[in-house]
Amino acid sequence: MTTEQRLTQVFVELADTLVDEFDALDFLSTLTDRSVELLRAEAAGVILNNLRGGLHVVASTSDAAQVLELFELQNDEGPCLDCFNSGRAVVNVDLEEARTRWPRFSARAAEVGYQSTHAIPLRLRDSVIGAMNLFCAGSTPLSEEDLAVGQALADIATIGLLQERAVRQSGLLAEQLQTALNSRIMIEQAKGVLFASAGLDIEQAFRLMREYSRSHRVPIKTVARSVIDRELTTDDLRGA
Amino acid sequence: MRTRTEILAALGVDGGSGRSLPEQLCVACTTTLGLDGAGIALMTDAGHQGVLGTYGEVATRLEDLQYELGEGPSVDASRRNGPALHAELTAGEMSLWPGFGPAAWAAGVRAVFALPLQVGAVRLGSLCLYRSTAGHLDEDGTATALAYADAALAVLLFLHAQVSPGSALHPTLREPLDYRAEVHQATGFLSVQASVGLTEALLLLRAHAFASDRSLVEVARDVLAGRTRIPFVSTEREDD
């Protein structure tokens, strides 16, 4: 099989995982495995920012790669971080020569047997969401073409991850909306329960629940739920 | 075929009609798919919670009827988390929906297609399409109908995102619930009076409204005002 054929196959494989049940971790492990294969590296790892802006190691092809990625984050130095911060690829770095640039990282990488490294950004337009690090035992420079392949793989990954984030956000909104609808309904039902059991009018029933909610610092929907479940009586509410 | 993005983009343009976003979507959907009307209902796990928007006189009436009876294609679609497609109203539909079926037939409806509005397992509503001619939606029509359901879901989430976080509801989403607040109050009230669960209490209300040929909200108001007594003792559950 030629490299081109293999490449096409990999792109199809990655695009396939974008549809249906998208699993970010499966997807990233496909990305790192195939990147190692196509770019002649020994290991790869990915760091991603989360929605709050923190960085995490989310995938790696080996324990050594994972440890190195973590090491970068902990020591705040290394090719992956530089790549993430600049949004540009950092390639063909000889770790021996990089001792002044990343003294702790270079030493650590040499210890586990790596001689060179590359980092490719996961970015869509201006937004950089992470970076992939490749570790090589020998000196295996990437050509312009290799870099284009690596970046294309990273681009597919980025699109997949951004889609997954959008889906997760809409899932969150949907849950919040469902909760809001249910709260509204429960509060009305609880008014009816109090109205029936205590001879309060509907407005008084609501006021009683609201006062209890405030003085006990419990959300009103929780008070309503307890009233419906008969765990809170009018006397309990009045005792507030 | 129209995509969700095209549909949503067109909604934004129709600014001066005074129609809410859900209503605008029903208008667009009816026109594009050559229907006689469409409606969007709010749903929770507990069933139909009110009509959010409709277009067409028949659709408006039948959407209300689905709420009144707690039965119909929109209720089915939401409950089963999948489309309820009835390309031809036959005897099967009449026995499936003893109240809704004959009413829809009498109103000249020959086909109904209901699509759930949901994110994962979170149920939020249904989009229901009404047509006076029998027959399946063709492939293109089905794709467009699904795109409208996607767009309707996006509208719900968009509206909620305007007020989120917190448990507040956007006025457009709150209005159908507020209008029927008494139904939930009467449900709570009846659950105490009849010592039954909320689901059964609502069934009692619905049965009474249906038997006395009045709307659910009218019966609810009467129950709360002490003008109507529901003969709950005589009502046996049949679904046990």
Side-chain angles (χ1 to χ4, degrees), chain B:
Chain B
M1 197 205 128
R2 302 188 69 183
T3 65
R4 181 179 80 157
T5 313
E6 289 166 359
I7 294 165
L8 291 172
L11 291 187
V13 177
D14 184 14
S17 67
R19 289 192 170 106
S20 70
L21 283 175
E23 284 166 347
Q24 289 180 39
L25 190 128
C26 290
V27 176
C29 181
T30 302
T31 316
T32 310
L33 286 166
L35 308 165
D36 294 273
I40 298 174
L42 273 180
M43 299 275 174
T44 66
D45 291 349
H48 204 309
Q49 300 302 344
V51 180
L52 200 53
T54 59
Y55 180 62
E57 200 186 314
V58 166
T60 304
R61 195 144 35 89
L62 291 176
E63 282 292 301
D64 273 335
L65 190 64
Q66 291 202 52
Y67 173 77
E68 290 295 326
L69 301 172
E71 71 171 33
S74 301
V75 180
D76 292 351
S78 177
R79 190 179 295 144
R80 73 165 75 123
N81 286 348
L85 307 176
H86 299 267
E88 195 177 350
L89 295 190
T90 62
E93 277 72 22
M94 301 306 135
S95 59
L96 180 63
W97 312 307
F100 177 84
W105 180 268
V109 173
R110 293 298 173 265
V112 283
F113 309 100
L115 301 164
L117 311 182
Q118 62 185 60
V119 180
V122 180
R123 302 182 166 99
L124 295 172
S126 292
L127 169 69
C128 192
L129 317 175
Y130 299 85
R131 213 181 50 199
S132 60
T133 51
H136 292 276
L137 289 170
D138 61 17
E139 202 176 310
D140 199 58
T142 306
T144 300
L146 289 172
Y148 271 102
D150 260 3
L153 177 63
V155 164
L156 292 190
L157 296 181
F158 166 79
L159 289 172
H160 188 60
Q162 309 297 302
V163 296
S164 147
S167 58
L169 279 171
H170 187 276
T172 303
L173 302 175
R174 198 178 62 216
E175 196 260 344
L177 293 185
D178 281 355
Y179 172 67
R180 280 143 172 148
E182 285 102 334
V183 173
H184 300 299
Q185 293 164 8
T187 301
F189 177 84
L190 257 186
S191 79
V192 176
Q193 296 273 300
S195 305
V196 293
L198 293 165
T199 313
E200 288 153 293
L202 182 58
L203 278 178
L204 288 174
L205 271 184
R206 279 213 162 101
H208 189 78
F210 182 69
S212 57
D213 199 23
R214 285 186 306 154
S215 79
L216 200 44
V217 75
E218 279 169 1
V219 169
R221 280 176 193 148
D222 281 357
V223 165
L224 291 170
R227 288 190 294 264
T228 296
R229 287 204 154 273
I230 306 274
F232 46 81
V233 188
S234 64
T235 317
E236 298 269 352
R237 281 203 300 160
E238 291 175 355
D239 55 352
D240 272 359

Side-chain angles (χ1 to χ4, degrees), chain A residues 14 17 22-35 44-48 56-61 122 129 131-132 153-154 156-158 160-161 164-165:
Chain A
L14 281 171
T17 55
F22 180 84
D23 182 306
L25 291 182
D26 283 354
F27 181 72
L28 286 169
S29 93
T30 309
L31 170 75
T32 48
D33 284 348
R34 298 301 168 258
S35 300
V46 173
I47 59 167
L48 273 191
H56 298 274
V57 180
V58 290
S60 53
T61 56
L122 303 185
I129 63 166
M132 174 168 64
L153 288 167
I156 298 189
T158 308
L161 291 165
E164 198 245 354
R165 283 182 182 183

Side-chain angles (χ1 to χ4, degrees), chain A:
Chain A
M1 194 186 298
T2 67
T3 313
E4 281 72 25
Q5 282 170 330
R6 179 63 188 132
L7 210 54
T8 312
Q9 214 176 39
V10 168
F11 283 132
V12 170
E13 180 186 12
L14 281 171
D16 270 352
T17 55
L18 282 179
V19 294
D20 297 337
E21 304 283 307
F22 180 84
D23 182 306
L25 291 182
D26 283 354
F27 181 72
L28 286 169
S29 93
T30 309
L31 170 75
T32 48
D33 284 348
R34 298 301 168 258
S35 300
V36 163
E37 174 196 341
L38 288 165
L39 303 177
R40 303 177 305 280
E42 264 64 51
V46 173
I47 59 167
L48 273 191
N49 68 349
N50 61 20
L51 296 169
R52 287 189 207 86
L55 285 170
H56 298 274
V57 180
V58 290
S60 53
T61 56
S62 71
D63 287 346
Q66 166 135 19
V67 168
L68 272 178
E69 296 279 357
L70 282 172
F71 191 82
E72 276 195 60
L73 294 183
Q74 279 157 7
N75 291 279
D76 206 19
E77 67 163 49
C80 221
L81 279 179
D82 283 11
C83 170
F84 176 80
N85 290 328
S86 68
R88 293 208 187 85
V90 178
V91 291
N92 303 329
V93 177
D94 185 300
L95 286 165
E96 197 56 44
E97 288 169 13
R99 287 222 176 232
T100 45
R101 192 169 171 192
W102 309 301
R104 281 164 298 184
F105 173 78
S106 302
R108 189 65 189 259
E111 263 173 49
V112 286
Y114 296 130
Q115 201 189 323
S116 64
T117 183
H118 319 288
I120 297 170
L122 303 185
R123 58 153 204 262
L124 187 71
R125 289 188 287 276
D126 296 337
S127 125
V128 184
I129 63 166
M132 174 168 64
N133 229 342
L134 293 157
F135 302 103
C136 314
S139 175
T140 42
L142 295 182
S143 64
E144 284 289 314
E145 235 168 83
D146 291 333
L147 181 58
V149 167
Q151 190 63 61
L153 288 167
D155 288 349
I156 298 189
T158 308
I159 290 165
L161 291 165
L162 288 175
Q163 269 180 357
E164 198 245 354
R165 283 182 182 183
V167 168
R168 233 182 324 149
Q169 273 168 333
S170 69
L172 194 65
L173 262 182
E175 276 172 28
Q176 286 171 350
L177 175 52
Q178 190 185 45
T179 305
L181 290 171
N182 284 332
S183 307
R184 191 95 195 162
I185 293 163
M186 274 192 315
I187 290 166
E188 298 305 328
Q189 290 168 335
K191 287 183 196 172
V193 168
L194 290 175
F195 177 58
S197 42
L200 299 164
D201 71 27
I202 293 288
E203 194 47 46
Q204 289 165 332
F206 180 61
R207 227 177 296 140
L208 204 55
M209 285 195 289
R210 199 179 50 194
E211 279 159 17
Y212 186 92
S213 149
R214 281 181 188 157
S215 61
H216 287 71
R217 295 169 196 280
V218 231
I220 188 151
K221 67 171 185 230
T222 310
V223 179
R225 173 89 263 167
S226 304
V227 167
I228 288 168
D229 292 342
R230 315 288 199 272
E231 282 158 9
L232 274 179
T233 64
T234 323
D235 287 341
D236 297 333
L237 294 176
R238 283 210 175 101

